[in-house]
Amino acid sequence: MGAMAALGALPAGAGALPPLPTLGVPGVPELKPLTRYEAMRLGPGWSHSCHAMLYAPNPGMLFGRIPLRYAVLMQMRFDGLLGFPGGFVDRRYWSLEDGLNRVLGLGLGCVRLTEADYLCSHLTEGPHRVVAHFYARQLTLEELHTIEISAVHSRDHGLEVMGMVRVPLYTQKDRMGGLPNFLGNSFVGTAKFQLLFALKILNMVPEEKLAEAVAATQKPKKPAIDHAAAAAAKAANELAGPARAGNEFQDSAENQAAAQAAAELAEQPAAVPESQAALEQLAAVPVAEAVAAEQPVQPRADAAAEQAVAEPME
């Protein structure tokens, strides 16, 4: 089913178009919407990017109890950012849809969109003048799976496209698992805004659930517990316990031995240290002899001079 069919038939006249819906999710900056007619009237200084969201109802259950609701395709890009299939379209040579299908053929290989799949256009933020066109096509789950398989064999797989991913549209009981954690990833350009906009406009996720998921990503996360490090620290403490007990016992035994040695030393008569005896013996030697003993042997010519110096003055 085309995106326009999901929104209802739109009048052909540009002036009769109803006001474009806004996202209206707290915490997500709004982009300026414009109609397809207005976008086509922009001057040559504007670039046009076209991207598509392919999705399918999914009756599956995660863990047998969490409804999966829909399968929505996005892709991991070469720069590590999440985005939708598509790219820039040169309006000098291609219509929006022809340019989009050309890019999709490089990344997916087997899908073609039409103007009936057009969903919205927005002016992007930033220094570049870019208008982002967004398309959405509902498929069956089997058709979506076929596209996932063919994407692996496309020309850009492993080059500009690292692989397809599915968006989890549920929120687990911890209020983070599923869509909130997914929204915490890094997205390219307007991809995150386009995802939330499409989920709201196509009634794939209730608006309050989108707001809760966005709000959960803005809360400071608790530091993750490193269970391996905690177990290692616990084991180290358990091993250190006996070692500390052994050290305390050894210290106690050494202290007792030192005390006993001190007591035995106190009972013995005081002995003159060898250094003190050497000093007393040195004091008994005449100073002149001590000096002479320390002086090196001098030549005979100097001996008389030393003797004269050593003799007392009259």
Side-chain angles (χ1 to χ4, degrees), residues 74-77 80-84 165 182 185-188 191:
M74 295 190 75
Q75 57 186 198
M76 178 62 70
R77 293 159 40 94
L81 302 177
L82 289 169
F84 287 102
V165 297
F182 186 85
N185 288 304
S186 297
F187 295 79
V188 64

Side-chain angles (χ1 to χ4, degrees), residues 228-250:
K234 181 179 179 181
N237 290 334
E238 292 176 352
L239 292 175
R244 284 196 299 268
N247 291 338
E248 293 174 357
F249 177 78
Q250 182 177 359

Side-chain angles (χ1 to χ4, degrees), residues 64-304:
R65 56 184 176 81
I66 301 177
L68 297 179
R69 309 166 74 120
Y70 289 89
V72 176
L73 289 189
M74 295 190 75
Q75 57 186 198
M76 178 62 70
R77 293 159 40 94
F78 64 94
D79 52 11
L81 302 177
L82 289 169
F84 287 102
F88 283 95
V89 173
D90 193 336
R91 289 282 294 125
R92 295 174 300 175
Y93 308 107
W94 308 93
S95 68
L96 292 181
E97 289 73 33
D98 288 340
L100 173 60
N101 288 323
R102 177 177 177 272
V103 179
L104 292 181
L106 300 177
L108 298 181
C110 61
V111 63
R112 291 189 60 84
L113 301 185
T114 67
E115 187 176 342
D117 300 310
Y118 171 83
L119 184 64
C120 61
S121 297
H122 289 87
L123 298 181
T124 63
E125 296 179 336
H128 303 291
R129 306 176 73 187
V130 178
V131 55
H133 306 281
F134 197 53
Y135 295 74
R137 165 80 67 88
Q138 178 175 320
L139 307 169
T140 66
L141 194 58
E142 292 75 16
E143 291 171 335
L144 198 75
H145 186 55
T146 300
I147 291 177
E148 289 177 308
I149 295 174
S150 65
V152 178
H153 304 286
S154 66
R155 194 197 74 172
D156 283 349
H157 180 73
L159 298 174
E160 294 188 27
V161 179
M162 297 296 104
M164 307 300 297
V165 297
R166 293 191 183 189
V167 182
L169 300 186
Y170 50 82
T171 300
Q172 294 182 251
K173 289 184 178 181
D174 63 357
R175 299 185 181 275
M176 286 302 300
L179 184 58
N181 275 335
F182 186 85
L183 295 177
N185 288 304
S186 297
F187 295 79
V188 64
T190 60
K192 183 176 181 179
F193 177 89
Q194 290 172 333
L195 171 64
L196 295 172
F197 185 86
L199 294 181
K200 173 189 173 181
I201 297 303
L202 299 178
N203 298 318
M204 299 171 68
V205 176
E207 183 176 348
E208 62 274 12
K209 295 296 182 181
L210 288 179
E212 291 175 2
V214 172
T217 63
Q218 298 171 348
K219 295 179 181 178
K221 296 182 179 180
K222 297 180 180 179
I225 300 176
D226 191 339
H227 297 284
K234 181 179 179 181
N237 290 334
E238 292 176 352
L239 292 175
R244 284 196 299 268
N247 291 338
E248 293 174 357
F249 177 78
Q250 182 177 359
D251 292 343
S252 177
E254 291 177 354
N255 292 338
Q256 293 178 2
Q260 183 177 358
E264 293 177 355
L265 183 61
E267 295 176 357
Q268 297 179 0
V272 179
E274 295 181 0
S275 58
Q276 183 176 353
L279 289 175
E280 293 176 353
Q281 183 178 3
L282 182 60
V285 179
V287 176
E289 294 181 5
V291 172
E294 293 180 357
Q295 294 294 331
V297 178
Q298 299 292 335
R300 187 178 299 275
D302 297 334

Side-chain angles (χ1 to χ4, degrees), residues 42-48 128-130:
L42 293 175
W46 287 84
S47 300
H48 296 261
H128 303 291
R129 306 176 73 187
V130 178

